[in-house]
Each structure stands twice: as structure tokens, then as C-alpha cells.
Amino acid sequence: MSEHSHDSTILIVGNGQAAAMAMQELRNQGYPGAIVVVGAEAHMAYERPPLSKNLLSDADAQITGLDIHPRDFYDNARVTLLLRKTVAQIDPQQHTATLDDGQTIAYDQCLLACGGQARVLPDYPQGHPRVHYLRTADDALRLRAALASGTRVAVLGGGFLGMELAATALSLGLSVDLIESASRVLARNAPVLFSTWLQTRARHQGLNLHLDARVVAATGLATADAPAPITLALDNGRQVQADHVLVSIGMAPHSELASACGIKVCEQTGGILVDSQGRTGSVDIFAAGDCATRLDARTGLPVRLESWQNANEQARIAACAMLGVDCAPAAFPWFWTDQFGCNIQMLGSLQPDMQLVIRGDMDAQAEQPRFLILGLLQTVPHFALAVNAGGDLRAIRSLLEKAVPVDADAFVQADALKPFAKKTLADHTSHYVAAS
């Protein structure tokens, strides 16, 4: 580890998943100095995935139940938490940060783990009693109260969060309409055949799904507490009536602080540009999590990933880089979601022109469907999607991580995937050794 004295200070801007992992990793690696964390919310760092699921559906669920670290962690790890505060300005030359209340913090190194905020539609103002955006735990509690009293919900956006919100609202017995401007849900993240399957399943469970549709007029929002419904007129001539509107059209990364002090921000993704170790273009300033963009090693294209795993991995790597410690490379990209009675997990990255191989039965109306989709490029797996088949996904993970060619027919017909993966990997290794 590079020399860090007990008098040194690492400042972490933000108090989400990446910040929580970074402070833990710094202490695990033996960092002896001060750790100061500045967070805008009033809460300790908490898990965000349950916000659209358990925290909404369980009236007894509390924010404290989502805490990433035990309450005594911060004292034991000697972490100074400055909550309900934000960093207004950073001076990279002076190594200082100025908070919104005028307080100045001198740092030796700084990690920007700023996260992001929900993208807002001007016609649907934040704070309106019948309009909801979900990014924070307080947002979730406000939405939970609304869902408890509402009967009809309109969701704008068919990405992962929008679909999770729709599924949760349906599970509460509400009438739900989801409006998506693209021709399918999960258009940026999943193959067409899976989007089609999920749409069928969602409709079977009662979701009113409006695809390739846009709202051209909204009435009923002017008087927030009026008993009249909100009416959304679509460009296809249909109308949707709702008591509450849930807007889920993506997240905007908090990169304005970095941009203001001269740190480069990616024009395509809006994220803070970092190298593979989380370093920005400014000395002693790093970034990790939803606010950070890196260049993909294979494609050279900028990538900003909004996922629990990515926040953990980028924070771990950045913390080690701050201390000059070697660490394991980032884990293979993995993402999960729960919706419409299914656990859905994705491994790797979806790419154009993949051969998609299906193992299992894609019965959208089954009580507990179970299947696995494998994406191959010239027999090499780069992507996998599992529905209620997490064990199968774990069994083949090494084949994706090591880019081992796969016999598609053998994959589909194998009695069990664990021995199949073991044999495939062994055969590949022996062939490689023999060839060399």
C-alpha cells in the first residue's frame, strides 16, 4: 500500500452503494486516515433494489431494514458521516471541497460516488401529490402511501424500473397501465424474443400494456387533490385514466460537480470519465458507481452501468487504486430483477447478431416458468439470461468469463448444466494445452 498517514483524509462525495463499498474496502485494506462521507439524504447508506419491490409492497417494511452496514459500522470504521449536506464546489488544485453550508473540507484524495437522479418530464412536476418518481427511499415511502389509497396507476416507461413498478402495483391489486414509446419493453437491455415473452406474461397477469405509444396530452393534473382522474391521451387515439402517474424514464448521472471543476464528462453517457482503476483526469480524484463512465475494453465504447454489482465493483477497485493496492479485476457484468413472479438474471453483455439458444420452456403463462437463453458469437458465449434458473446461470458462468466455445445442441440437450460446463471447460483447456 502506498504511504498514507493517520493525518490523511479521503473524502467520499455521496452516500449510496458505491460509497458504502468504498469505505468498507478502504478499512479492509488498512487505510489508517480519516474517511469523511457527504450525503444529501438523511439516511445511512441503503440498498436501492428493494425500493421498487419490498419497500413498496410491504406496509411494515422500514428504511432501516435496507441498511447496507450495521449502525455500529460507522463508529467502528471511524467514518465521519455528514448527512443532509451536499458538496457545492471542489478545488482540485487546493484539494478542498466546499459544502452547501459553507464548510470547507481538505482532502488528500476524493471519490465521487454521486449517483444520479430520476429524469424528469416537465409536464409531470416532482412533488405533485399524484405524480411520482422513484430514486430515493423517501420517494418509495411516498409512493407506497399513494398506492395504498389509489386504484388506478399509469406507469410511463418500460425499462427495468418501470416494469418492476408495474409488477408491484399489480401485486397490490391495482389496475395498471404501462405506456412505452418504443415498440417493446426493455428495448435497450434484452433480446427481442425475451421482451416479447415478458410482454405476454405481463399482459397475462393483468397489465394493460401500450407499446409504441406516446402521451400527447394530460388533463387532471392542474388541481392536485381533485377527485377527477388524470386522463392521458395517447398518440394512437386511446386514453388512459389513472389516480397516480409513475414516471420511470431513466436516470441522469450527477456529473455536474465534476464538470464544474474541469473534470471531463462523457458527452454520450453524461457520466464522469474514468479509467479502469476509477481515476478521473484530475489528480487524486476518482469516481465510481452510477455517475462514472469507462471505456469498454473490448469495444472501446463508453459505458455507464446502473447496477448494484457495478457500483460495488467500481468502488472496490477505486478504493484499492487510491491506496496503491493490487486487487482482483472487476467481476463479469451481472444484473438481476424480480417482476411478474419471476427472478430474472442477466450475465455478460448483449451484442448484435448473436445466436440465441434457448434451454427450457418459455411458457409465459406457467406459474413458475424456467428457462435459460445463451447468446453466442461464433460459438463463444457472451451473454446469458436466466428466468428462475439462477443455479443454471452459476453453473455456466465460467464458460462466459473464460470465453469457452460451446456446442449449442449439447447445451440444450444436457441433463444438467454443472457437469456439462465442467466437461466443456476441461475439453477446451486440454485442447488449448495440446495446441500450445
Side-chain angles (χ1 to χ4, degrees):
M1 184 173 74
S2 60
E3 292 299 321
H4 284 77
S5 72
H6 285 80
D7 296 328
S8 65
T9 297
I10 289 179
L11 170 65
I12 300 177
V13 183
N15 189 33
Q17 189 74 41
M21 177 55 67
M23 62 182 85
Q24 176 179 310
E25 188 67 18
L26 288 169
R27 290 306 187 210
N28 287 347
Q29 295 294 343
Y31 171 66
I35 299 175
V36 179
V37 177
V38 180
E41 295 185 59
H43 312 291
M44 304 290 191
Y46 56 84
E47 302 275 3
R48 292 191 188 274
L51 298 186
S52 58
K53 309 174 190 72
N54 296 351
L55 194 61
L56 282 185
S57 61
D58 184 354
D60 296 323
Q62 301 296 318
I63 296 173
T64 53
L66 308 181
D67 286 351
I68 296 173
H69 296 308
R71 289 296 167 115
D72 61 0
F73 166 85
Y74 300 92
D75 287 337
N76 294 338
R78 294 173 287 113
V79 173
T80 299
L81 279 177
L82 302 178
L83 301 180
R84 296 182 179 176
K85 296 180 183 292
T86 59
V87 174
Q89 184 179 4
I90 291 177
D91 187 331
Q93 285 71 41
Q94 297 298 319
H95 280 54
T96 59
T98 303
L99 306 192
D100 53 352
D101 61 2
Q103 179 182 354
T104 297
I105 299 174
Y107 66 83
D108 294 276
Q109 292 172 304
C110 174
L111 175 67
L112 301 176
C114 314
Q117 64 183 12
R119 295 188 186 277
V120 176
L121 290 175
D123 291 340
Y124 304 87
Q126 284 184 307
H128 190 289
R130 296 201 286 167
V131 173
H132 303 269
Y133 294 85
L134 181 60
R135 177 61 187 171
T136 69
D138 290 331
D139 292 338
L141 293 183
R142 176 174 174 267
L143 178 56
R144 185 170 78 184
L147 295 183
S149 60
T151 57
R152 295 168 296 183
V153 171
V155 180
L156 306 186
F160 282 114
L161 181 58
M163 292 295 282
E164 288 175 357
L165 290 172
T168 299
L170 278 174
S171 74
L172 294 172
L174 305 182
S175 172
V176 185
D177 285 82
L178 187 145
I179 302 164
E180 167 56 49
S181 60
S183 60
R184 62 186 178 97
V185 301
L186 308 185
R188 293 183 300 170
N189 307 102
V192 174
L193 77 116
F194 179 73
S195 293
T196 302
W197 178 88
L198 185 60
Q199 289 161 190
T200 301
R201 181 167 182 82
R203 283 174 167 142
H204 176 67
Q205 294 201 356
L207 179 64
N208 301 312
L209 188 56
H210 308 268
L211 299 175
D212 201 14
R214 294 161 183 81
V215 179
V216 293
T219 57
L221 287 170
T223 51
D225 298 322
I230 300 167
T231 300
L232 306 177
L234 307 185
D235 60 358
N236 58 15
R238 295 180 181 177
Q239 289 190 339
V240 171
Q241 293 190 330
D243 301 297
H244 294 275
V245 177
L246 284 54
V247 183
S248 180
I249 57 169
M251 189 203 78
H254 279 312
S255 55
E256 59 275 6
L257 181 64
S259 181
C261 66
I263 295 174
K264 191 171 183 180
V265 172
C266 177
E267 293 183 1
Q268 294 99 312
T269 69
I272 303 166
L273 278 172
V274 298
D275 66 10
S276 61
Q277 302 300 304
R279 298 182 183 87
T280 70
S282 184
V283 176
D284 293 327
I285 298 182
F286 297 70
D290 291 349
C291 69
T293 292
R294 61 174 178 80
L295 297 182
D296 185 273
R298 290 175 299 180
T299 66
L301 298 174
V303 176
R304 187 178 64 81
L305 297 176
E306 300 170 14
S307 77
W308 178 90
Q309 183 214 37
N310 183 66
N312 285 338
E313 289 295 283
Q314 285 194 337
R316 175 182 64 82
I317 291 170
C320 288
M322 285 177 152
L323 304 180
V325 174
D326 291 332
C327 66
F332 209 67
W334 172 76
F335 176 84
W336 66 271
T337 176
D338 289 323
Q339 50 185 271
F340 302 103
C342 294
N343 171 254
I344 302 164
Q345 299 186 39
M346 296 194 300
L347 188 63
S349 57
L350 185 65
Q351 298 180 39
D353 303 322
M354 277 185 165
Q355 176 193 1
L356 298 177
V357 184
I358 303 167
R359 177 185 171 88
D361 184 6
M362 293 181 67
D363 181 358
Q365 298 185 20
E367 182 176 350
Q368 190 76 2
R370 178 186 172 93
F371 59 87
L372 180 62
I373 300 172
L374 191 63
L376 305 175
L377 286 175
Q378 297 180 346
T379 76
V380 176
H382 291 267
F383 171 79
L385 188 155
V387 172
N388 297 324
D392 286 345
L393 193 66
R394 288 190 293 274
I396 65 168
R397 183 179 189 122
S398 62
L399 302 182
L400 279 82
E401 292 175 334
K402 298 178 181 179
V404 178
V406 168
D407 183 315
D409 291 336
F411 164 77
V412 172
Q413 298 169 11
D415 292 333
L417 284 183
K418 189 172 182 179
F420 164 80
K422 185 176 180 180
K423 182 179 185 303
T424 301
L425 181 58
D427 290 347
H428 175 71
T429 302
S430 61
H431 175 75
Y432 177 80
V433 172
S436 59

